[in-house]
Amino acid sequence: MPWDARDTMSLRTEFVLFASQDGANIRSLCRHYSISPATGYKWLARWSEHGAAGMADRSRVPHHSPNCSSDGITDLLRLAHARHERWGARKIKRWL
């Protein structure tokens, strides 16, 4: 018996095509594809908004990072490290 080797995009597209038919039970399809209902509804929303391109994986990088240092501080740190290569983080922090 051969393995059923399919990629993620084809499985997502198959799920969406079955789920978008009239009278489809989305919860049972989610169980069949071993995904949560929230994920199933998310894929359906992406399909209706973007079509087949919406099924691709998206970046998980946060859009906003409030604890990130500003570019000015990062430049100062690089400058301090370039001038004093042997200094560690504590000494550079005191210097700044």
Side-chain angles (χ1 to χ4, degrees):
M1 173 181 276
W3 291 96
D4 187 17
R6 295 181 287 179
D7 64 336
T8 307
M9 286 284 292
S10 66
L11 287 172
R12 289 178 185 175
T13 305
E14 184 179 309
F15 168 80
V16 169
L17 291 176
F18 282 134
S20 58
Q21 292 177 355
D22 288 338
N25 188 340
I26 295 175
R27 298 252 175 183
S28 67
L29 280 171
C30 290
R31 279 192 298 273
H32 175 74
Y33 285 93
S34 300
I35 59 172
S36 70
T39 302
Y41 286 109
K42 175 179 71 174
W43 288 351
L44 282 170
R46 283 187 190 174
W47 179 267
S48 65
E49 187 176 338
H50 301 290
M55 297 291 101
D57 285 335
R58 293 188 177 178
S59 174
R60 293 187 174 135
V61 176
H63 297 289
H64 178 69
S65 183
N67 294 330
C68 184
S69 300
S70 68
D71 291 337
I73 297 292
T74 306
D75 291 339
L76 279 174
L77 289 171
R78 287 190 179 134
L79 177 69
H81 182 67
R83 285 187 184 170
H84 311 283
E85 293 178 6
R86 295 181 180 267
W87 283 11
R90 277 188 274 168
K91 194 173 280 190
I92 290 176
K93 181 179 174 185
R94 271 188 263 134
W95 180 74
L96 289 175

